[in-house]
Amino acid sequence: MTSKNFFLCFSYFTPAGKLEFPFEISLEPKGNKKLYDTYHGVFVNIQYSIRCEIKRSMLSKDMVKQLEFVVEKNEDQTDRKQTIVNFEVTPNTLENVKEKVLPNFKLTGRLDTVCCNISEPFTGELTVENSASHIKSIELQLVRVETCGCAEGYARDATEIQNIQIGDGNVCHNVPIPIYMIFPRLFTCPTLITNNFKVEFEINIVMTFSDDHQITENFPIKLFRA
């Protein structure tokens, strides 16, 4: 996306001691390309690094050091409407499950927004109104969904970034459980949709019963940087 080369100093004898060479670089994309935030994914990686090379005499080995630096940029402010999302989860609202396998239960709650500023925590609350079976744990999962172009079409893969337990054991009924999660810096970025690849994010609320049956409610989210 971008690449620059320049000399900090030309050949001369350097005295013993510490020498500093101040410099600055203007990050500008090549042609009609765009620069994106630093992101470390599974199939998509966006990384920026600076490489310094010291040429030495013929009988000495050249010295090379490379260091990654983080790029963050503010995008335009379109599609940033933040609205509260209320949800209710029961055996009847779940898809691709057999009702006879799951005990009767009811979860309610809210997400403060699904259009999230990546620099601010993800918040909300969850309440277990009733459950016929004992609960083992309640977890909050952050998932990245990467889509890449290939010869056969597009490959789409979802992988877990982090998992936070917000309820341990048979939690009290009708008591709100706070949802609070910090977005990890290197493994998240503003939602990206380009011609060649996409990086999107989702939140899963996972409840595990004592018999190890799990129920999952999925919420696609959009990340931006303000």
Side-chain angles (χ1 to χ4, degrees):
M1 291 184 290
T2 184
S3 177
K4 289 188 176 183
N5 296 282
F6 59 91
F7 289 97
L8 286 180
C9 69
F10 291 91
S11 176
Y12 75 99
F13 178 78
T14 56
K18 181 178 179 181
L19 295 177
E20 295 184 356
F21 300 93
F23 70 93
E24 65 178 32
I25 303 173
S26 176
L27 289 180
E28 298 174 353
K30 291 182 176 179
N32 59 353
K33 295 182 179 179
K34 293 179 62 177
L35 298 182
Y36 303 109
D37 280 29
T38 297
Y39 168 71
H40 291 189
V42 178
F43 302 105
V44 178
N45 280 283
I46 303 172
Q47 295 176 264
Y48 302 87
S49 62
I50 187 167
R51 184 175 184 270
C52 180
E53 183 175 1
I54 300 177
K55 295 288 186 179
R56 305 174 76 185
S57 60
M58 186 171 55
L59 300 179
S60 300
K61 186 177 179 180
D62 293 345
M63 299 175 63
V64 178
K65 178 70 174 181
Q66 184 165 310
L67 180 69
E68 181 183 1
F69 61 93
V70 174
V71 170
E72 297 179 354
K73 59 191 294 287
N74 293 337
E75 297 289 344
D76 57 35
Q77 300 193 8
T78 57
D79 300 328
R80 293 189 182 182
K81 186 178 181 180
Q82 300 186 18
T83 55
I84 294 176
V85 176
N86 296 300
F87 62 88
E88 179 181 303
V89 187
T90 66
N92 294 328
T93 63
L94 296 174
E95 299 178 356
N96 302 321
V97 296
K98 296 180 180 179
E99 293 185 17
K100 294 182 179 179
V101 174
L102 294 176
N104 188 37
F105 69 91
K106 183 178 181 181
L107 299 181
T108 59
R110 76 164 197 276
L111 304 178
D112 290 336
T113 181
V114 289
C115 187
C116 311
N117 185 347
I118 199 172
S119 303
E120 297 178 357
F122 179 82
T123 58
E125 68 175 29
L126 168 72
T127 302
V128 180
E129 294 196 5
N130 62 71
S131 176
S133 180
H134 279 225
I135 297 171
K136 187 176 181 179
S137 71
I138 302 175
E139 298 169 345
L140 187 70
Q141 293 180 345
L142 175 62
V143 176
R144 61 188 160 209
V145 182
E146 298 173 336
T147 305
C148 302
C150 59
E152 292 77 20
Y154 284 92
R156 186 177 187 272
D157 195 79
T159 53
E160 182 182 300
I161 299 176
Q162 68 180 10
N163 187 311
I164 299 174
Q165 187 179 45
I166 59 175
D168 183 22
N170 196 31
V171 300
C172 296
H173 295 181
N174 297 310
V175 176
I177 300 172
I179 294 173
Y180 189 94
M181 181 185 66
I182 302 295
F183 293 107
R185 174 58 198 93
L186 292 179
F187 305 110
T188 56
C189 67
T191 300
L192 290 176
I193 299 178
T194 72
N195 293 332
N196 299 319
F197 67 90
K198 294 192 291 186
V199 180
E200 300 167 292
F201 299 93
E202 298 175 351
I203 292 290
N204 288 333
I205 294 177
V206 182
M207 186 167 72
T208 306
F209 295 101
S210 56
D211 58 2
D212 289 333
H213 277 113
Q214 285 188 339
I215 62 101
T216 302
E217 187 73 5
N218 176 268
F219 302 91
I221 63 174
K222 180 178 181 179
L223 301 185
F224 66 89
R225 186 179 304 284

